[in-house]
Amino acid sequence: MPLPFLLILLLATLLLQTSVLEVVSVAGVKPDLVMLIVVLNGFLLGPREGAFLGYISGIVEDLFLGEYIGLNAISKMAAGYLAGVAGERLYKENIMVATGVTFFSAGAGLLVNYLLLFYLDLHVSPYYALLRLALPTAVYTSLLAPFIFGRIFRYLQVRGKDF
């Protein structure tokens, strides 16, 4: 995807995530749409593109929302790279595979985020961080993957990307 299109998509996704999805939160947990775009992009296009989009989207998210610049950039970069590695080894046309990769990559990205917070000496209860925040967010995000995956997959097929 062209970089200007990706940046516009990320900004629109970030705007949607911070406004509309606040209403759709379940028990204080909302899906991470930016992570979803990063993971699916990495899954379909490879680890290099996934890590690049993860870093760019994380920096944009940190600049607009974060207190710690680079925290989301590193965690989303790790998730995009992990999804890209999975995409090189797994069957890309299957929506269930994409959903599973989204769950594990988003969970890994959120785990990296927690570990970075721990490294910064910000103590968050592991129970709260992992079981009440990271796991439900990964599940919620992966439940949206089938709805987004088909559109991204068809767009890349039309653009002539070889899988």
Side-chain angles (χ1 to χ4, degrees), residues 2 24 42 49 67 90 100 108:
V24 189
E49 287 82 1
E67 292 181 20
L90 300 174

Side-chain angles (χ1 to χ4, degrees), residues 12-19 21-22 30-34 61:
T13 304
L14 189 60
L15 185 65
L16 180 70
Q17 183 171 321
T18 57
S19 59
L21 289 185
E22 295 293 332
K30 61 183 178 181
D32 191 348
L33 293 181
V34 175
E61 193 171 2

Side-chain angles (χ1 to χ4, degrees), residues 75-94:
S75 62
K76 286 185 176 27
M77 182 177 68
Y81 182 81
L82 182 63
V85 169
E88 288 181 338
R89 291 167 171 72
L90 300 174
Y91 184 64
K92 291 184 184 179
E93 285 85 13
N94 191 334

Side-chain angles (χ1 to χ4, degrees), residues 54-120:
Y55 182 77
I56 295 297
S57 64
I59 285 291
V60 169
E61 193 171 2
D62 283 337
L63 290 175
F64 284 114
L65 305 174
E67 292 181 20
Y68 300 102
I69 304 300
L71 187 68
N72 284 317
I74 293 172
S75 62
K76 286 185 176 27
M77 182 177 68
Y81 182 81
L82 182 63
V85 169
E88 288 181 338
R89 291 167 171 72
L90 300 174
Y91 184 64
K92 291 184 184 179
E93 285 85 13
N94 191 334
I95 290 178
M96 294 311 292
V97 171
T99 302
V101 168
T102 302
F103 172 74
F104 286 111
S105 297
L110 293 166
L111 180 64
V112 166
N113 201 332
Y114 171 72
L115 292 174
L116 289 172
L117 285 173
F118 187 76
Y119 178 74
L120 290 171

